[in-house]
Amino acid sequence: MMLPQFSHIQLLRFAGLFQYASVGTPFLRYRVVVDDLAAKQLPTSYAHLWLGCYIVFGIVYWYLTRDLGARERTPLRSGVQIALLVVLNLMAVAIGWFSQSGISALLLAVVAVVLPWLLPLRVGIAWMVLQNFSLVPVFASIREPAFSLSDAFLQSSLYSGFIVLAFVTALVTKQQVEAREEQRRLNAELRATRALLAESSRLGERMRISRELHDLMGHHLTALSLNLEVASHLVQGQAQTHVLQAQSVAKLLLGDVREVVSQLREDDSIDLTQALRDLVEGVPGLQIHLDLPAQFGIEDPRRAQVLLRCAQEIITNTVRHAQARNLWLGFELDPRRQMIIHARDDGRGASELVQGNGLSGMRERLAQFGGRVEIQTTAGRGFALDALLPLEGST
């Protein structure tokens, strides 16, 4: 029987859920919990509030981490994420308050597992420190044994080791995932470049063969035909018949060579289909919808490379900055012999376009051939780009 395969992200999430379940073991003897609180002269309602906060904590944690292991994640708005994190922290602190115990620290360790995935590193570290010392009022509220403020501070510092361990474990996992995804993206780019080089080599070899046939065999056959023409005027009878036959064969061979050279040069374009399919295959966290012309051949190797690099830059920017789930990438040849790249994603967009090195490099590559880039973006409505490359003209 095959066991289910879980990624290390999913295992980390399930470890947090196991920690959460372990914290809930006192509720297996709920009557004892109520009696214990009554013995401490605390309201019976504390037990009900403790259970309610525990349930809310579990629901929020499950919702926040439900797609951490998925390749296509459903992005939450940052404001929603922060609000849910605040709810997790409040529930953890409330559980400690109502239970009059230090189990809040165990739940804050569960929260620390989530922080590196949802917050920038510096913000996550600051959040972890603040949530750790939110335990101080919890410990100060405990009646048996009573804690002074300094004791409560020391007690919260004692639990900080568990919280830091959980945070660093999640951070290392996140960095490994990002490194693996970057490696997959680079491998896709390498396969695309290799396919382009193979097409360029194929084109170069065909051109070399056509030149060799035209320059060498064509020259020799032309010289042979001329010599046979001269010989046909110098001989008579049976010999002249054979010379004329040889001259006819030489002309046929010369015609065949010219036809082969023409056929070789007819298919002298680089097919970008395989290179682009390799480029979009296996891009992490992004579904790319590729639309290619039926016959996608580019005669100029330099322009073919520009098109591939532009597609590569579009995909890279979408993965790194757009927070998109889908990218529509199409290539269209218009009547003016311009190849147009249409790119559109369903990401977050931007209210103001900030042009980085990638877009600047794309503009420079296209400008060398008289091309240009047109960009449209609005906050919350994704990013749209049209790159135009003339296939003839300016170089």
Side-chain angles (χ1 to χ4, degrees), residues 7 14 31 46 51 91 120 161 178-179 233 236 264 279 281 284 309 322 330 346 358 386:
S7 68
F14 291 145
R31 185 70 253 175
Y46 272 28
L51 178 59
M91 293 301 100
E178 290 176 345
H233 296 291
Q236 299 294 328
L264 285 173
L279 184 64
E281 182 182 356
R309 294 297 172 238
D346 59 355
D386 288 336

Side-chain angles (χ1 to χ4, degrees), residues 51-315:
L51 178 59
C53 292
Y54 178 79
I55 294 173
V56 172
F57 184 98
I59 293 172
V60 173
Y61 178 80
W62 179 268
Y63 181 74
L64 269 178
T65 62
R66 70 195 188 285
D67 58 355
L68 285 184
R71 188 173 168 188
E72 295 182 8
R73 299 172 188 169
T74 305
L76 292 171
R77 294 186 181 274
S78 57
V80 176
Q81 293 174 347
I82 293 175
L84 293 177
L85 282 175
V86 170
V87 171
L88 281 181
N89 283 130
L90 289 177
M91 293 301 100
V93 172
I95 288 170
W97 185 278
F98 294 129
S99 66
Q100 290 289 286
S101 68
I103 61 175
S104 291
L106 302 178
L107 292 175
L108 291 180
V110 175
V111 177
V113 171
V114 181
L115 294 179
W117 299 96
L118 303 181
L119 299 175
L121 179 58
R122 292 185 179 180
V123 177
I125 292 174
W127 191 293
M128 177 185 63
V129 173
L130 291 175
Q131 77 170 16
N132 183 68
F133 289 105
S134 67
L135 293 173
V136 173
V138 173
F139 288 122
S141 69
I142 296 178
R143 299 182 182 181
E144 295 181 11
F147 282 88
S148 64
L149 188 61
S150 59
D151 291 336
F153 184 85
L154 291 174
Q155 190 71 12
S156 64
S157 300
L158 177 66
Y159 284 105
S160 64
F162 297 102
I163 297 174
V164 170
L165 178 62
F167 181 86
V168 172
T169 301
L171 178 62
V172 171
T173 303
K174 180 174 181 287
Q175 291 174 342
Q176 288 181 343
V177 170
E178 290 176 345
R180 182 175 296 181
E181 291 181 349
E182 181 70 8
Q183 184 180 28
R184 289 173 60 182
R185 187 183 63 81
L186 292 175
N187 284 338
E189 293 179 3
L190 180 61
R191 290 195 304 271
T193 303
R194 184 176 60 188
L196 179 61
L197 288 175
E199 279 292 302
S200 299
S201 299
R202 180 189 65 82
L203 177 60
E205 186 65 14
R206 291 174 68 94
M207 293 296 293
R208 185 189 68 80
I209 293 173
S210 67
R211 285 194 299 265
E212 293 292 330
L213 288 173
H214 181 271
D215 296 342
L216 295 179
M217 293 188 66
H219 172 74
H220 293 318
L221 287 172
T222 300
L224 176 61
S225 181
L226 291 173
N227 281 290
L228 289 171
E229 176 71 23
V230 173
S232 68
H233 296 291
L234 298 177
V235 297
Q236 299 294 328
Q238 188 72 20
Q240 187 182 39
T241 301
H242 288 293
V243 169
L244 290 175
Q245 289 178 347
Q247 184 184 15
S248 177
V249 172
K251 289 181 179 179
L252 287 174
L253 284 173
L254 183 59
D256 289 341
V257 168
R258 287 173 177 170
E259 183 179 356
V260 170
V261 170
S262 298
Q263 290 176 351
L264 285 173
R265 290 182 172 176
E266 283 177 1
D267 187 21
D268 60 353
S269 61
I270 295 177
D271 187 1
L272 281 176
T273 302
Q274 188 58 47
L276 288 168
R277 286 176 179 170
D278 287 338
L279 184 64
V280 305
E281 182 182 356
V283 174
L286 183 66
Q287 183 68 34
I288 302 178
H289 308 273
L290 186 63
D291 183 18
L292 299 176
Q295 299 293 330
F296 195 13
I298 306 297
E299 296 178 359
D300 185 358
R302 296 172 301 168
R303 285 179 166 85
Q305 185 177 28
V306 168
L307 287 173
L308 184 65
R309 294 297 172 238
C310 288
Q312 175 182 321
E313 186 59 39
I314 290 169
I315 294 171

Side-chain angles (χ1 to χ4, degrees), residues 77 320-324 345-351 377-383:
R77 294 186 181 274
R320 291 180 175 175
H321 307 300
Q323 295 183 1
D345 65 50
D346 59 355
R348 61 181 180 177
S351 56
T377 181
T378 306
R381 295 188 177 180
F383 187 92

